[in-house]
Amino acid sequence: MDFHPAGSRPTRVAPPEYFTGNVMQDPIIATSAPARLVANSVSFQAGARTAWHTHPLGQTLYVIAGLGRIQAKGGPIRELRPGDVVWIPPGEKHWHGASPTNGMTHLAMQEAQDGNAVTWMEKVTDEEYSAKVG
């Protein structure tokens, strides 16, 4: 058993090459093989978001606070609220983040395949992010 007391793993600034705006990550777990789970609590300030990306084995998001947005490539932008759960299938290109006026925090859970849990792509443009919800 591994036990990580609260505060034993510091909050980190999300890498700017994969995020737009102010984003903080609190690590929850990154398991050792044969397990594959990687989970973080991710807090986005208003206007902040991920770059486009995919996950080889999919991703689950659980929104815990604020107001956010998510979009799969070619689909509508959807609003995220506390209690919402989103399953993103393996290989689906998507982005997620806060709304333009409110911050948002979610738990991000995904499995790694051959040590890789995410493939990062181009940043979401302001035009893409600002498109109408729905």
Side-chain angles (χ1 to χ4, degrees):
M1 176 185 300
D2 287 335
F3 175 75
H4 303 278
S8 65
R9 290 173 291 173
T11 300
R12 61 184 181 242
V13 175
E17 58 268 26
Y18 305 135
F19 295 84
T20 297
N22 188 355
V23 181
M24 304 300 286
Q25 298 173 318
D26 286 293
I28 296 172
I29 194 74
T31 56
S32 300
R36 303 186 288 198
L37 180 64
V38 177
N40 292 287
S41 175
V42 186
S43 297
F44 300 82
Q45 284 193 352
R49 65 236 186 221
T50 67
W52 288 101
H53 61 286
T54 62
H55 299 277
L57 298 174
Q59 181 182 49
T60 299
L61 302 178
Y62 176 69
V63 181
I64 32 183
L67 183 63
R69 291 180 166 193
I70 188 167
Q71 182 182 30
K73 190 68 172 180
I77 294 176
R78 300 188 67 174
E79 199 167 73
L80 296 171
R81 296 183 177 277
D84 287 349
V85 176
V86 182
W87 164 245
I88 299 119
E92 183 170 69
K93 187 174 181 177
H94 68 285
W95 65 267
H96 37 99
S99 78
T101 56
N102 297 86
M104 186 267 295
T105 300
H106 65 47
L107 301 181
M109 300 159 277
Q110 54 275 329
E111 290 183 291
Q113 185 175 52
D114 300 322
N116 178 42
V118 61
T119 299
W120 292 105
M121 300 168 186
E122 71 277 8
K123 286 195 172 185
V124 174
T125 66
D126 289 342
E127 182 179 42
E128 289 171 318
Y129 175 75
S130 298
K132 185 177 178 182
V133 173

